[in-house]
DNA sequence: TAAGACTTTCCTGGTT
DNA sequence: TAACCAGGAAAGTCTT
């Protein structure tokens, strides 16, 4: 089985499939200029890594620098090592920075070729592609945009490496591989003793840093979820912020409207407000005025959480068994965020299917994310069905109205659209578009109209039979 | 290589 | 007014 991350290769150690369906944020595009919530990024980041990035991470830095930790795994020592140059700029991305000396730039001529440590860039063969660089950055820093409980096993490692570097741990001694089979929720549930057991030398420090990180987080109030949800949410720390979800606040306007306006908004935006709370109360969605990879904000809300204990699928039911069958050796909580057969998208050059966006729209070329990853080959209606039988998404995002008859309802239509968009590597997906695709199924006899009911659809018998047969579900 | 399937995007117009 | 629904049209990828 391949390693969970192409960046970490622990030979001989089993990795498990991680959560493939994640709501991508608007800033999960090729850069992370789209800051996105009320989480005080700089404060929490400093809690995790008290080294200052000084000018390098200054949001208003005119250098337009982007930074990315660079790590590699040594097959000979079975340990992860960090490049002495864990950062590079995208404007000069053949130049390297020293994490321990954040302001000290190394020679631009000094590539990693002289180093036993492999860099991201060297892994990519020094593609002269800014897009690839951004994608890689986004991949390595994706953990910064989620609650730790939402981290995939890759992101656990990303956090581990990043934190180890920033805390100045001896990375050659850090047993990162011991954590590689843990997803975020499992990591968060580890006791200090278990941390130490996994990593005798640094386990205590890592545990404390994780707890520090967790206690520094603030969470957003769900938009469509009931008060019960609030109470159930493990993130409800009594400090719910009424700030609308950045993800959902983005949903309100059609994509073309966003595209149309973004460039203008961008051009009008005169500075990044470090007070992310204020930033999000203004519901700004435009990019920050520089290409800084902002490792601070967590791009998630409580709705993007796999452990919400509201399953409607009876754990004893055949559906649940079918759902779980793809993960024979994993715990329910973990498998609840996974889908059988799903893997992380491969970074293959490819155009996104469908009609190209109107190039005449202002700002299109700049705001349009680069979708170069291969989308999974699954049909939308099957995706919807899978979500419906997944307690991680039902009833949080969509739910059965009549499971036997195949009638279901979108609870958070835009969130489902974002899930679908994430699945297809298309961050521009909206419910508008998803619903259009759904309506095509009427003609094909896979969906039947449910008159007079908004957000309610019905699988045809044909679709139900096909889906249930494929998943060995009997009702 | 072609054709059909499928999805995405854009759009207009209508309803709630 | 916003959100949703309906469906035509175009254009792309994917599968066979």
């Amino acid at each position: 089985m391949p390693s969970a991350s192409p960046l970490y290769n622990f030979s001989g150690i089993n990795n498990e499939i991680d959560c493939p369906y994640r709501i991508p944020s608007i800033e999960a595009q090729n850069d992370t200029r789209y800051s996105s919530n009320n989480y005080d990024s700089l404060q929490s980041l400093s809690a995790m890594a008290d080294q200052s990035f000084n000018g390098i991470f200054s949001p208003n830095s005119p250098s337009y620098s982007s930074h990315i930790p660079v790590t590699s795994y040594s097959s000979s020592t079975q340990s992860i090592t960090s490049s002495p140059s864990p950062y590079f700029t995208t404007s000069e991305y053949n130049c390297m920075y020293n994490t321990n000396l954040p302001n000290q730039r190394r020679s631009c001529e000094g590539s990693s070729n002289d180093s036993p440590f492999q860099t991201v860039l060297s892994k990519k063969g020094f593609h002269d592609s800014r897009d690839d660089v951004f994608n890689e950055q986004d991949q390595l820093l994706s953990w910064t945009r989620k609650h730790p409980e939402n981290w995939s096993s890759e992101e656990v490692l990303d956090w581990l490496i990043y934190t180890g570097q920033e805390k100045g741990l001896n990375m050659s001694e850090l047993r990162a591989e011991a954590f590689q089979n843990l997803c975020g929720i499992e990591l968060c549930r580890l006791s200090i003793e278990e941390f130490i057991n996994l990593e005798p030398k640094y386990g205590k420090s890592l545990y404390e840093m994780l707890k520090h990180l967790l206690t520094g987080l603030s969470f957003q109030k769900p938009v469509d979820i009931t008060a019960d949800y609030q109470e159930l949410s493990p993130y409800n720390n009594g400090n719910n912020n009424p700030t609308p979800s950045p993800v959902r606040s983005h949903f309100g306007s059609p994509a073309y409207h966003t595209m149309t306006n973004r460039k203008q908004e961008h051009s009008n935006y005169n500075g990044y407000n470090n007070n992310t709370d204020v930033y999000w109360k203004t519901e700004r969605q435009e990019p920050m005025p520089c290409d800084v990879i902002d490792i601070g904000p967590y791009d998630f809300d409580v709705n993007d959480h796999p452990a919400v204990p509201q399953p409607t699928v009876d754990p004893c039911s055949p559906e649940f068994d079918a759902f779980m069958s793809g993960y024979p050796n994993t715990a329910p909580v973990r498998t609840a965020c996974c889908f059988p057969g799903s893997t992380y998208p491969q970074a293959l050059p490819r155009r996104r299917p469908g009609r190209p966006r109107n190039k005449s729209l202002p700002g299109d070329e700049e705001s349009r994310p680069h979708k170069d990853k291969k989308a999974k080959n699954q049909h939308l209606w099957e995706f919807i069905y899978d979500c419906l039988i997944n307690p991680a998404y039902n009833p949080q995002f969509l739910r059965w109205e009549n499971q036997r008859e195949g009638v279901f309802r979108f609870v958070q239509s835009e969130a489902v659209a974002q899930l679908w968009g994430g699945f297809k590597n298309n961050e521009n997906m909206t419910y508008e578009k998803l619903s259009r695709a759904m309506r095509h199924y009427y003609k094909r006899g896979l969906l039947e109209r449910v008159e007079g009911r908004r957000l309610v659809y019905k699988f045809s018998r044909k679709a139900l039979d096909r889906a249930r047969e494929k998943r060995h579900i009997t009702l």
Side-chain angles (χ1 to χ4, degrees), chain A residues 273-307:
Chain A
N273 189 343
N274 275 344
N275 185 337
T276 52
D277 197 8
V278 173
Y279 182 87
W280 283 106
K281 280 175 182 172
T282 64
E283 299 190 44
R284 297 195 69 94
Q285 298 296 332
E286 68 278 20
M288 289 192 291
C290 66
D291 289 346
V292 169
I293 295 296
D294 188 342
I295 64 174
Y298 274 69
D299 170 33
F300 63 84
D301 60 40
V302 291
N303 296 326
D304 182 16
H305 192 272

Side-chain angles (χ1 to χ4, degrees), chain A residues 158-441:
Chain A
D158 290 338
W159 165 77
L160 194 67
I161 299 306
Y162 178 86
T163 302
Q165 289 174 342
E166 292 310 310
K167 296 300 271 187
L169 308 183
N170 184 340
M171 301 303 285
S172 64
E173 296 179 5
L174 178 64
R175 293 180 54 195
E177 69 275 18
F179 294 81
Q180 72 157 341
N181 281 333
L182 295 174
C183 64
I185 193 161
E186 291 169 324
L187 181 78
C188 293
R189 290 178 178 180
L190 291 181
S191 65
I192 188 169
E193 291 78 16
E194 290 169 320
F195 256 90
I196 294 171
N197 194 35
L198 286 171
E199 174 34 77
K201 185 167 184 177
Y202 299 123
K204 183 170 182 291
S205 297
L206 291 168
Y207 174 85
E208 288 171 351
M209 283 184 276
L210 179 64
K211 293 304 170 186
H212 197 170
L213 179 63
L214 287 168
T215 56
L217 301 179
S218 62
F219 300 94
Q220 298 159 337
K221 189 176 181 178
V223 175
D224 302 334
I225 301 301
T226 64
D228 287 344
Y229 177 88
Q230 286 276 310
E231 292 170 8
L232 283 169
S233 170
Y235 300 140
N236 186 353
N237 59 2
N239 189 29
N240 289 313
N241 192 311
T243 306
S245 160
V247 176
R248 258 155 291 286
S249 65
H250 165 61
F251 294 155
S253 54
Y256 63 84
H257 172 78
T258 305
M259 286 192 305
T260 303
N261 292 320
R262 189 172 293 156
K263 185 178 181 181
Q264 184 61 38
E265 290 171 353
H266 187 181
S267 66
N268 292 339
Y269 193 46
N270 294 322
Y272 171 69
N273 189 343
N274 275 344
N275 185 337
T276 52
D277 197 8
V278 173
Y279 182 87
W280 283 106
K281 280 175 182 172
T282 64
E283 299 190 44
R284 297 195 69 94
Q285 298 296 332
E286 68 278 20
M288 289 192 291
C290 66
D291 289 346
V292 169
I293 295 296
D294 188 342
I295 64 174
Y298 274 69
D299 170 33
F300 63 84
D301 60 40
V302 291
N303 296 326
D304 182 16
H305 192 272
V308 178
Q310 295 190 2
T312 54
V313 177
D314 184 346
C316 300
S317 70
E319 286 208 349
F320 190 80
D321 289 341
F323 170 69
M324 298 292 289
S325 63
Y327 306 91
N329 300 318
T330 52
V333 165
R334 181 171 189 174
T335 55
C337 65
C338 302
F339 275 64
S342 297
T343 58
Y344 278 103
Q346 302 301 304
L348 297 176
R350 172 184 168 273
R351 273 195 70 136
R352 186 168 60 242
R355 178 178 172 171
R357 302 174 81 185
N358 189 350
K359 289 183 178 177
S360 65
L361 289 173
D364 183 69
E365 292 308 308
E366 290 186 12
S367 62
R368 182 177 180 174
H370 300 268
K371 309 311 308 166
D372 289 337
K373 294 180 180 177
K374 184 176 175 64
K376 301 175 188 66
N377 183 25
Q378 186 183 17
H379 296 168
L380 172 59
W381 69 272
E382 291 182 302
F383 173 88
I384 295 296
Y385 188 90
D386 281 340
C387 285
L388 282 162
I389 62 171
N390 186 335
Y393 303 103
N394 178 348
Q396 193 178 355
F397 295 129
L398 69 182
R399 67 166 188 259
W400 291 112
E401 295 269 297
N402 184 330
Q403 185 171 0
R404 185 171 295 276
E405 295 298 319
V407 181
F408 64 95
R409 172 188 183 83
F410 286 96
V411 177
Q412 295 191 51
S413 54
E414 287 292 353
V416 175
Q418 288 293 295
L419 282 173
W420 174 240
F423 187 68
K424 298 294 290 288
N425 304 309
N426 177 6
E427 288 138 13
N428 295 313
M429 180 52 62
T430 65
Y431 177 70
E432 195 79 19
K433 297 170 186 172
L434 182 147
S435 64
R436 182 69 194 96
M438 297 282 282
R439 290 193 295 273
H440 280 302
Y441 292 142

Side-chain angles (χ1 to χ4, degrees), chain A residues 1-70:
Chain A
M1 186 176 289
S3 170
S5 167
L7 300 176
Y8 309 119
N9 178 23
F10 301 106
S11 58
I13 303 176
N14 242 3
N15 289 286
E16 295 178 0
I17 298 169
D18 210 327
C19 317
Y21 293 0
R22 295 180 293 182
I23 298 181
S25 65
I26 184 171
E27 73 270 30
Q29 300 177 9
N30 298 317
D31 62 43
T32 54
R33 292 173 295 179
Y34 305 90
S35 179
S36 70
N37 66 7
N38 61 333
Y39 168 58
D40 187 335
S41 58
L42 298 179
Q43 185 180 36
S44 293
L45 180 63
S46 63
M48 177 179 59
D50 51 16
Q51 271 194 316
S52 165
F53 295 101
N54 300 324
I56 290 183
F57 255 79
S58 168
N60 293 315
S61 167
S63 66
Y64 283 36
S65 300
S66 296
H67 311 83
I68 185 169
V70 179

Side-chain angles (χ1 to χ4, degrees), chain A residues 73-89:
Chain A
Y73 175 67
S74 163
S75 57
S76 59
T77 61
Q78 291 275 304
S79 63
I80 286 181
T81 51
S82 64
S83 163
S85 311
Y87 302 113
F88 63 90
T89 67

